[in-house]
Amino acid sequence: MIQWSESMIARAIALQTLARKCVVLVDNCGWTGHECDVLAVTTDLRIIDVEVKISRADLKADAKKDKWWRRTFLGYGERKETFNEAGRLIRVERPSLYDVKARQHPPKVWKHYYAMPADIWKPELLDCLPSPASGVLLLRAMRSRIDVECIRRATPAKDAYKLTPEQVMDIARLANLRMWEAYHRRDQSKQQEAVNA
């Protein structure tokens, strides 16, 4: 049985599912204001966010993330004062009040997907997803490859944020710098192996 990792799943999604539709892909990117395991910029300059999960518990916990909630500050609540036995003021509290609403899509995201190994998926997990607009991608390890199956397509955001060319360049620059850093880590690892040999 295969030992799944986030990077293995992200690579399969990037190379098989998104490569032909996207101009740039970045892993573990916070450009949207929230962490994306894979941030993809489509050819029409929209963002696809892929959240990689390797356990059911991790999938269920995702609904608590801030990216799924819109909080609007309404002001401060009633002032509460606390006094000690001597009548001295020791604490003043003024709670913040927020209006909290669920989001269908994370901020700046056109489409959102969950990607996970097929062997952890159960149909009842659809009820655990924070949005009915999220798609689901399941991965299966075959003999010498990984197959990706889309069991639910993502619903696009009607008011999807469209990137400017400058923003695409910023994301492409980040992807480029990460590539060179990955080469550097690979070379350091090879040098360390040569020293240890």
Side-chain angles (χ1 to χ4, degrees):
M1 185 158 153
I2 191 167
Q3 182 67 36
W4 292 99
S5 69
E6 285 191 16
S7 61
M8 181 188 304
I9 293 171
R11 182 178 185 277
I13 296 299
L15 296 178
Q16 293 183 42
T17 309
L18 300 174
R20 288 177 292 201
K21 302 170 190 160
C22 299
V23 293
V24 66
L25 299 154
V26 185
D27 67 327
N28 298 318
C29 181
W31 191 89
T32 63
H34 300 279
E35 196 256 337
C36 302
D37 292 332
V38 177
L39 181 140
V41 177
T42 64
T43 55
D44 64 349
L45 307 184
R46 299 193 195 289
I47 293 175
I48 297 175
D49 174 2
V50 180
E51 189 72 30
V52 176
K53 300 297 176 190
I54 55 173
S55 73
R56 288 185 194 114
D58 189 20
L59 177 66
K60 290 176 182 178
D62 202 67
K64 296 176 185 170
K65 287 185 178 177
D66 281 345
K67 71 177 171 181
W68 292 112
W69 302 97
R70 178 177 288 121
R71 289 176 173 82
T72 306
F73 180 67
L74 299 175
Y76 292 102
E78 188 176 310
R79 178 182 165 124
K80 296 177 185 176
E81 297 176 344
T82 306
F83 297 89
N84 65 13
E85 289 115 21
R88 271 201 148 139
L89 180 67
I90 57 171
R91 184 172 51 220
V92 176
E93 293 178 54
R94 200 162 179 209
S96 300
L97 303 174
Y98 290 90
D99 178 39
V100 181
K101 293 184 179 158
R103 295 181 191 265
Q104 292 294 303
H105 296 86
K108 300 181 183 175
V109 171
W110 177 55
K111 287 184 179 179
H112 180 271
Y113 282 94
Y114 285 100
M116 68 200 78
D119 55 341
I120 69 166
W121 178 254
K122 292 181 178 184
E124 53 269 21
L125 289 172
L126 282 174
D127 296 333
C128 298
L129 300 183
S131 171
S134 293
V136 178
L137 303 169
L138 300 183
L139 289 86
R140 288 180 180 81
M142 305 312 266
R143 289 187 186 124
S144 60
R145 67 181 197 279
I146 296 174
D147 282 347
V148 180
E149 176 190 10
C150 179
I151 63 161
R152 184 167 88 174
R153 297 188 77 69
T155 304
K158 289 186 171 96
D159 58 346
Y161 184 83
K162 192 164 186 178
L163 299 170
T164 65
E166 293 81 15
Q167 290 171 323
V168 174
M169 291 301 291
D170 285 342
I171 295 169
R173 185 178 305 111
L174 175 62
N176 184 41
L177 292 172
R178 290 215 180 149
M179 177 192 70
W180 290 110
E181 184 60 30
Y183 286 158
H184 176 69
R185 285 194 309 270
R186 180 200 62 194
D187 292 345
Q188 282 184 322
S189 178
K190 285 183 180 179
Q191 288 174 358
Q192 189 62 42
E193 286 175 14
V195 168
N196 292 340

mmCIF file of all heavy atoms in Angstrom, residues 26-47:
data_model
loop_
_atom_site.group_PDB
_atom_site.id
_atom_site.type_symbol
_atom_site.label_atom_id
_atom_site.label_comp_id
_atom_site.label_asym_id
_atom_site.label_seq_id
_atom_site.Cartn_x
_atom_site.Cartn_y
_atom_site.Cartn_z
ATOM 1 N N VAL A 26 1.614 27.027 -7.910
ATOM 2 C CA VAL A 26 2.495 27.232 -6.761
ATOM 3 C C VAL A 26 1.962 26.399 -5.601
ATOM 4 O O VAL A 26 0.758 26.404 -5.328
ATOM 5 C CB VAL A 26 2.537 28.721 -6.332
ATOM 6 C CG1 VAL A 26 3.547 28.939 -5.217
ATOM 7 C CG2 VAL A 26 2.843 29.625 -7.508
ATOM 8 N N ASP A 27 2.852 25.695 -4.916
ATOM 9 C CA ASP A 27 2.427 24.910 -3.758
ATOM 10 C C ASP A 27 2.550 25.742 -2.481
ATOM 11 O O ASP A 27 3.353 26.665 -2.410
ATOM 12 C CB ASP A 27 3.237 23.614 -3.649
ATOM 13 C CG ASP A 27 4.691 23.854 -3.323
ATOM 14 O OD1 ASP A 27 5.249 24.881 -3.754
ATOM 15 O OD2 ASP A 27 5.289 23.019 -2.629
ATOM 16 N N ASN A 28 1.725 25.410 -1.496
ATOM 17 C CA ASN A 28 1.739 26.068 -0.176
ATOM 18 C C ASN A 28 1.864 27.589 -0.292
ATOM 19 O O ASN A 28 2.819 28.185 0.200
ATOM 20 C CB ASN A 28 2.868 25.504 0.686
ATOM 21 C CG ASN A 28 2.673 24.039 0.935
ATOM 22 O OD1 ASN A 28 1.567 23.588 1.196
ATOM 23 N ND2 ASN A 28 3.733 23.269 0.834
ATOM 24 N N CYS A 29 0.901 28.177 -0.944
ATOM 25 C CA CYS A 29 0.942 29.600 -1.254
ATOM 26 C C CYS A 29 -0.150 30.337 -0.497
ATOM 27 O O CYS A 29 -1.294 29.886 -0.444
ATOM 28 C CB CYS A 29 0.753 29.774 -2.765
ATOM 29 S SG CYS A 29 0.822 31.480 -3.301
ATOM 30 N N GLY A 30 0.178 31.485 0.068
ATOM 31 C CA GLY A 30 -0.791 32.286 0.801
ATOM 32 C C GLY A 30 -1.180 33.559 0.065
ATOM 33 O O GLY A 30 -1.655 34.505 0.678
ATOM 34 N N TRP A 31 -1.008 33.591 -1.244
ATOM 35 C CA TRP A 31 -1.258 34.807 -2.014
ATOM 36 C C TRP A 31 -2.691 35.313 -1.864
ATOM 37 O O TRP A 31 -2.929 36.520 -1.865
ATOM 38 C CB TRP A 31 -0.940 34.567 -3.496
ATOM 39 C CG TRP A 31 -0.929 35.834 -4.271
ATOM 40 C CD1 TRP A 31 0.134 36.678 -4.477
ATOM 41 C CD2 TRP A 31 -2.049 36.444 -4.914
ATOM 42 N NE1 TRP A 31 -0.260 37.760 -5.197
ATOM 43 C CE2 TRP A 31 -1.598 37.647 -5.488
ATOM 44 C CE3 TRP A 31 -3.381 36.103 -5.054
ATOM 45 C CZ2 TRP A 31 -2.431 38.502 -6.201
ATOM 46 C CZ3 TRP A 31 -4.219 36.945 -5.764
ATOM 47 C CH2 TRP A 31 -3.741 38.128 -6.333
ATOM 48 N N THR A 32 -3.667 34.445 -1.702
ATOM 49 C CA THR A 32 -5.071 34.854 -1.604
ATOM 50 C C THR A 32 -5.408 35.445 -0.235
ATOM 51 O O THR A 32 -6.491 35.963 -0.036
ATOM 52 C CB THR A 32 -6.017 33.666 -1.833
ATOM 53 O OG1 THR A 32 -5.804 32.702 -0.801
ATOM 54 C CG2 THR A 32 -5.829 33.041 -3.194
ATOM 55 N N GLY A 33 -4.473 35.353 0.701
ATOM 56 C CA GLY A 33 -4.740 35.764 2.070
ATOM 57 C C GLY A 33 -4.977 34.563 2.969
ATOM 58 O O GLY A 33 -5.032 34.680 4.183
ATOM 59 N N HIS A 34 -5.139 33.397 2.358
ATOM 60 C CA HIS A 34 -5.313 32.137 3.070
ATOM 61 C C HIS A 34 -4.448 31.098 2.371
ATOM 62 O O HIS A 34 -4.231 31.162 1.165
ATOM 63 C CB HIS A 34 -6.785 31.698 3.047
ATOM 64 C CG HIS A 34 -7.688 32.690 3.696
ATOM 65 N ND1 HIS A 34 -7.849 32.759 5.063
ATOM 66 C CD2 HIS A 34 -8.463 33.665 3.183
ATOM 67 C CE1 HIS A 34 -8.683 33.733 5.349
ATOM 68 N NE2 HIS A 34 -9.076 34.301 4.230
ATOM 69 N N GLU A 35 -3.986 30.111 3.122
ATOM 70 C CA GLU A 35 -3.082 29.112 2.567
ATOM 71 C C GLU A 35 -3.784 28.207 1.563
ATOM 72 O O GLU A 35 -4.882 27.725 1.797
ATOM 73 C CB GLU A 35 -2.496 28.274 3.713
ATOM 74 C CG GLU A 35 -1.292 27.469 3.324
ATOM 75 C CD GLU A 35 -1.594 26.001 3.143
ATOM 76 O OE1 GLU A 35 -2.586 25.517 3.701
ATOM 77 O OE2 GLU A 35 -0.844 25.338 2.420
ATOM 78 N N CYS A 36 -3.153 28.049 0.408
ATOM 79 C CA CYS A 36 -3.608 27.119 -0.628
ATOM 80 C C CYS A 36 -2.530 26.046 -0.756
ATOM 81 O O CYS A 36 -1.361 26.384 -0.938
ATOM 82 C CB CYS A 36 -3.756 27.806 -1.985
ATOM 83 S SG CYS A 36 -4.871 29.205 -2.028
ATOM 84 N N ASP A 37 -2.907 24.776 -0.689
ATOM 85 C CA ASP A 37 -1.909 23.717 -0.889
ATOM 86 C C ASP A 37 -1.387 23.760 -2.319
ATOM 87 O O ASP A 37 -0.204 23.569 -2.561
ATOM 88 C CB ASP A 37 -2.506 22.353 -0.562
ATOM 89 C CG ASP A 37 -2.792 22.211 0.931
ATOM 90 O OD1 ASP A 37 -2.096 22.858 1.740
ATOM 91 O OD2 ASP A 37 -3.701 21.457 1.295
ATOM 92 N N VAL A 38 -2.284 23.996 -3.278
ATOM 93 C CA VAL A 38 -1.889 24.253 -4.668
ATOM 94 C C VAL A 38 -2.704 25.447 -5.140
ATOM 95 O O VAL A 38 -3.932 25.413 -5.137
ATOM 96 C CB VAL A 38 -2.167 23.045 -5.597
ATOM 97 C CG1 VAL A 38 -1.800 23.381 -7.039
ATOM 98 C CG2 VAL A 38 -1.420 21.813 -5.129
ATOM 99 N N LEU A 39 -2.012 26.522 -5.512
ATOM 100 C CA LEU A 39 -2.658 27.685 -6.105
ATOM 101 C C LEU A 39 -2.355 27.636 -7.593
ATOM 102 O O LEU A 39 -1.197 27.594 -7.997
ATOM 103 C CB LEU A 39 -2.127 28.977 -5.505
ATOM 104 C CG LEU A 39 -2.766 30.252 -6.053
ATOM 105 C CD1 LEU A 39 -3.004 31.250 -4.932
ATOM 106 C CD2 LEU A 39 -1.952 30.884 -7.143
ATOM 107 N N ALA A 40 -3.407 27.606 -8.397
ATOM 108 C CA ALA A 40 -3.254 27.535 -9.848
ATOM 109 C C ALA A 40 -3.859 28.782 -10.473
ATOM 110 O O ALA A 40 -4.948 29.206 -10.092
ATOM 111 C CB ALA A 40 -3.955 26.287 -10.378
ATOM 112 N N VAL A 41 -3.138 29.361 -11.419
ATOM 113 C CA VAL A 41 -3.646 30.500 -12.175
ATOM 114 C C VAL A 41 -4.021 29.982 -13.560
ATOM 115 O O VAL A 41 -3.186 29.457 -14.286
ATOM 116 C CB VAL A 41 -2.607 31.634 -12.296
ATOM 117 C CG1 VAL A 41 -3.152 32.779 -13.146
ATOM 118 C CG2 VAL A 41 -2.197 32.130 -10.912
ATOM 119 N N THR A 42 -5.307 30.110 -13.900
ATOM 120 C CA THR A 42 -5.805 29.594 -15.176
ATOM 121 C C THR A 42 -5.383 30.503 -16.327
ATOM 122 O O THR A 42 -4.939 31.632 -16.115
ATOM 123 C CB THR A 42 -7.341 29.491 -15.167
ATOM 124 O OG1 THR A 42 -7.890 30.807 -15.027
ATOM 125 C CG2 THR A 42 -7.822 28.607 -14.025
ATOM 126 N N THR A 43 -5.576 30.015 -17.544
ATOM 127 C CA THR A 43 -5.218 30.803 -18.726
ATOM 128 C C THR A 43 -6.069 32.068 -18.851
ATOM 129 O O THR A 43 -5.646 33.021 -19.497
ATOM 130 C CB THR A 43 -5.355 29.953 -20.007
ATOM 131 O OG1 THR A 43 -6.687 29.420 -20.047
ATOM 132 C CG2 THR A 43 -4.339 28.830 -20.037
ATOM 133 N N ASP A 44 -7.255 32.094 -18.230
ATOM 134 C CA ASP A 44 -8.067 33.318 -18.233
ATOM 135 C C ASP A 44 -7.896 34.124 -16.939
ATOM 136 O O ASP A 44 -8.734 34.940 -16.587
ATOM 137 C CB ASP A 44 -9.534 33.021 -18.541
ATOM 138 C CG ASP A 44 -10.199 32.155 -17.483
ATOM 139 O OD1 ASP A 44 -9.489 31.603 -16.619
ATOM 140 O OD2 ASP A 44 -11.437 32.033 -17.523
ATOM 141 N N LEU A 45 -6.788 33.879 -16.228
ATOM 142 C CA LEU A 45 -6.327 34.654 -15.077
ATOM 143 C C LEU A 45 -7.253 34.589 -13.855
ATOM 144 O O LEU A 45 -7.481 35.569 -13.161
ATOM 145 C CB LEU A 45 -6.077 36.120 -15.471
ATOM 146 C CG LEU A 45 -5.160 36.344 -16.676
ATOM 147 C CD1 LEU A 45 -4.928 37.810 -16.903
ATOM 148 C CD2 LEU A 45 -3.855 35.587 -16.525
ATOM 149 N N ARG A 46 -7.727 33.387 -13.582
ATOM 150 C CA ARG A 46 -8.518 33.146 -12.378
ATOM 151 C C ARG A 46 -7.777 32.124 -11.504
ATOM 152 O O ARG A 46 -6.918 31.405 -11.984
ATOM 153 C CB ARG A 46 -9.903 32.646 -12.740
ATOM 154 C CG ARG A 46 -10.683 33.661 -13.571
ATOM 155 C CD ARG A 46 -12.127 33.315 -13.667
ATOM 156 N NE ARG A 46 -12.843 34.022 -14.677
ATOM 157 C CZ ARG A 46 -13.174 35.315 -14.661
ATOM 158 N NH1 ARG A 46 -12.798 36.049 -13.671
ATOM 159 N NH2 ARG A 46 -13.863 35.864 -15.630
ATOM 160 N N ILE A 47 -8.161 32.059 -10.237
ATOM 161 C CA ILE A 47 -7.452 31.194 -9.290
ATOM 162 C C ILE A 47 -8.262 29.936 -8.991
ATOM 163 O O ILE A 47 -9.447 30.008 -8.692
ATOM 164 C CB ILE A 47 -7.158 31.940 -7.977
ATOM 165 C CG1 ILE A 47 -6.149 33.056 -8.233
ATOM 166 C CG2 ILE A 47 -6.650 30.988 -6.897
ATOM 167 C CD1 ILE A 47 -5.880 33.934 -7.034
#
